[in-house]
């Protein structure tokens, strides 16, 4: 009895030690990604674009094209589409950038009635500063300094963009055949093969997720274009493209689009009523897209907790900046997909999922156990390996 009582504290100590080591490892990895972001960020972006474009490469391969030729065709089509899009929005975007100082002055003039409240608050704050002896600091011209800094850094952005382009091409050219070669090696083990299967399944689910999100964002962009056209905003297609692109970033993208089109409505019309209409219309469309369309299209399997998504945006935005904001949700979706396939990662699945009752969680676990009992353990593995190995033979012929 004493030995059993002594074993439980030792077991708990080992468990706490493992949790502490995992937390320290996660902190170390995140810090390393942040410190080496000049190298790690292009790799992350290339993986992101490779996952998005991999379904198109796979379809071309099924038509009989070699993997490298299919990847080259897809990349050329992407470049052509981006060039067409840039040519389409270049002139209106340049005109708005040139009008930026006058736009800000117009917004300030039209919001002057609302500034009276802000002036009173400033007076109260100034009185409080005089009482405390604090002196207000000078506010620099942030917009001008940021714009000039961006222009100075423009040549340095070319090399990472080219690196992301070619790395994406090589990832697409290798893709599933690379995983198949790892799985069909001479000295493969069961755990290694199962790991390859999990990675390939997560890649396919993430590509479907991103493809669905892309289609939904295009729809939101079309709706935003219609809203801008209905309220007589200039260059409505520009705001539709902006809404579609920024909506890949949860929360922050929609907030930015809402702010921009509201400002455009304020400076376009003489009254504030159209601006209110634009804001309410876009809020309605974004709410329907986020609360109804996405859940119906994606289902509950890859659903994420809003709090986890917000924390992920915060952390990855600090790690990689704007690229981190773009990649935060795909990274969380990948973790959720992998955790759903590995039984021992059940706590991570519950942590990433929206709030669910314990009864639902226990029933899901029981369902998984029943599925494992109904089939032999090697059947799904062999079936997946055959599919992956057949893709290797097709790509290498």
């Amino acid at each position: 009895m004493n030995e059993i009582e002594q074993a439980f504290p030792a077991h708990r100590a080992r468990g706490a030690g493992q949790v502490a080591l995992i937390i320290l490892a996660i902190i170390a990895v995140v810090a390393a990604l942040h410190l080496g972001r000049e190298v790690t960020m292009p790799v992350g972006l290339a993986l992101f674009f490779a996952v998005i474009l991999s379904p198109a490469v796979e379809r071309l391969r099924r038509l009989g094209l070699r993997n490298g030729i299919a990847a080259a065709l897809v990349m050329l089509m992407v470049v052509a589409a981006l060039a067409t899009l840039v040519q389409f929005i270049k002139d209106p975007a340049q005109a708005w950038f040139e009008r930026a100082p006058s736009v800000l002055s117009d917004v300030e003039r039209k919001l002057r009635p609302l500034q009276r409240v802000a002036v009173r608050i400033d007076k109260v704050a100034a009185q409080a500063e005089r009482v405390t002896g604090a002196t207000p600091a000078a506010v620099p011209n942030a917009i001008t300094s940021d714009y000039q800094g961006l222009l100075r850094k423009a040549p340095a952005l070319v090399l990472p963009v080219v690196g992301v382009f070619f790395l994406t091409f090589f990832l697409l050219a290798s893709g599933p055949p690379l995983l198949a070669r790892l799985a069909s090696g001479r000295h493969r083990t069961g755990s290694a093969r199962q790991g390859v299967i999990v990675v390939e399944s997560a890649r396919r689910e993430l590509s479907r997720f991103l493809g669905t999100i892309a289609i939904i964002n295009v729809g939101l962009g079309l709706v935003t274009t219609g809203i801008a056209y209905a309220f007589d905003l200039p260059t409505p297609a520009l705001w539709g493209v902006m809404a579609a692109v920024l909506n890949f970033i949860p929360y922050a993208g929609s907030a930015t689009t809402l702010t921009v089109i509201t400002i455009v409505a304020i400076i376009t019309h003489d009254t504030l009523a159209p601006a209110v209409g634009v804001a309410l219309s876009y809020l309605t469309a974004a709410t329907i897209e986020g609360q109804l369309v996405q859940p119906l299209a994606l289902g509950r399997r890859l659903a994420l907790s809003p709090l986890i998504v917000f924390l992920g945006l915060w952390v990855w935005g600090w790690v990689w900046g704007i690229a981190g904001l773009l990649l935060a949700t795909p990274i969380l979706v990948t973790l959720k997909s992998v955790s759903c396939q590995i039984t021992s990662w059940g706590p991570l699945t519950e942590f990433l999922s929206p709030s669910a009752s314990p009864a639902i969680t226990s029933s899901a676990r029981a369902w998984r156990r029943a599925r494992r009992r109904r089939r032999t353990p090697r059947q799904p593995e062999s079936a997946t390996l055959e599919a992956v190995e057949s893709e290797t033979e097709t790509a290498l012929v």
Side-chain angles (χ1 to χ4, degrees):
M1 188 67 180
N2 293 331
E3 294 179 356
I4 296 176
E5 292 177 355
Q6 292 176 359
F8 278 107
H11 177 71
R12 292 174 182 174
R14 285 195 299 270
Q18 292 176 356
V19 172
L21 287 176
I22 292 173
I23 294 175
L24 290 176
I26 292 174
I27 294 174
V29 169
V30 171
L33 291 175
H34 175 67
L35 295 175
R37 56 187 175 273
E38 288 81 6
V39 176
T40 58
M41 183 176 66
V43 174
L45 286 173
L47 288 172
F48 172 75
F49 294 128
V51 169
I52 292 179
L53 300 176
S54 59
V57 175
E58 291 178 2
R59 290 179 182 176
L60 291 177
R61 286 178 55 239
R62 294 192 189 101
L63 297 177
L65 296 179
R66 292 179 179 271
N67 213 52
I69 297 176
L73 288 177
V74 170
M75 295 302 295
L76 288 176
M77 288 188 290
V78 169
V79 171
L82 289 178
T84 304
L85 182 62
V86 170
Q87 186 66 26
F88 180 69
I89 67 174
K90 180 184 69 174
D91 294 335
Q94 184 177 0
W96 279 104
F97 273 116
E98 293 174 353
R99 289 182 55 190
S102 61
V103 165
L104 294 178
S105 62
D106 290 342
V107 172
E108 182 181 2
R109 177 177 56 82
K110 292 187 177 182
L111 293 180
R112 195 165 294 164
L114 300 178
Q115 289 179 347
R116 297 173 183 174
V117 177
V119 170
R120 294 177 182 176
I121 295 175
D122 289 339
K123 290 181 179 179
V124 173
Q127 293 176 358
E129 289 173 355
R130 285 195 295 269
V131 170
T132 58
T135 56
V139 179
N141 191 349
I143 297 177
T144 303
S145 61
D146 291 343
Y147 184 68
Q148 294 175 352
L150 182 60
L151 291 179
R152 286 195 297 268
K153 295 178 181 178
L157 296 176
V158 176
L159 186 59
V161 170
V162 174
V164 169
F165 176 85
F166 282 103
L167 184 55
T168 303
F169 167 74
F170 287 122
L171 288 173
L172 290 173
S174 56
L178 176 62
L179 292 175
R181 285 192 290 270
L182 293 175
S184 59
R186 182 174 298 177
H187 302 289
R188 65 190 179 186
T189 61
S191 59
R193 297 196 305 173
Q194 187 65 27
V196 171
I197 292 172
V198 170
V199 171
E200 175 63 13
S201 177
R203 184 192 69 84
R204 292 180 183 274
E205 287 195 354
L206 181 59
S207 64
R208 285 194 294 267
F209 172 84
L210 293 176
T212 304
I213 291 295
I215 294 173
I216 293 174
N217 290 349
V218 170
L220 181 63
L222 293 175
V223 172
T224 305
T225 302
I227 292 173
Y229 183 81
F231 286 92
D232 294 328
L233 300 186
T235 62
L238 176 63
W239 314 127
V241 172
M242 181 188 66
V245 173
L246 292 181
N247 204 53
F248 279 100
I249 304 175
Y251 307 135
S254 298
T256 303
T257 302
L258 174 64
T259 303
V260 171
I261 63 176
T262 303
I263 291 175
V264 171
I266 290 174
I267 65 175
T268 302
H269 301 281
D270 296 330
T271 62
L272 295 179
V276 175
V278 168
L280 291 178
S281 300
Y282 180 78
L283 276 176
T284 302
T287 302
I288 293 174
E289 179 267 335
Q291 303 299 323
L292 182 62
V293 178
Q294 278 198 24
L296 289 177
L298 299 174
R300 297 287 298 176
R301 175 176 172 80
L302 297 180
L304 297 170
S305 170
L307 176 61
I308 299 301
V309 173
F310 181 78
L311 292 176
L313 292 172
W314 191 0
V315 172
W316 287 104
W318 171 77
V319 173
W320 284 342
I322 297 177
L325 295 177
L326 179 66
L327 298 176
T329 302
I331 290 173
L332 292 174
V333 169
T334 302
L335 288 175
K336 178 73 178 294
S337 176
V338 172
S339 66
C340 288
Q341 301 177 62
I342 301 176
T343 307
S344 59
W345 288 25
L348 180 60
T349 304
E350 298 178 6
F351 178 74
L352 297 175
S353 301
S355 57
S357 63
I360 296 177
T361 305
S362 61
S363 63
R365 290 178 177 175
W367 178 73
R368 291 174 188 168
R369 288 194 297 268
R371 286 188 62 189
R372 287 196 296 270
R373 293 193 194 99
R374 285 197 300 268
R375 61 190 182 186
T376 60
R378 299 190 60 87
Q379 182 180 357
E381 179 179 333
S382 60
T384 308
L385 282 174
E386 289 177 0
V388 176
E389 291 172 359
S390 64
E391 290 181 357
T392 304
E393 294 176 357
T394 304
L396 297 178
V397 171

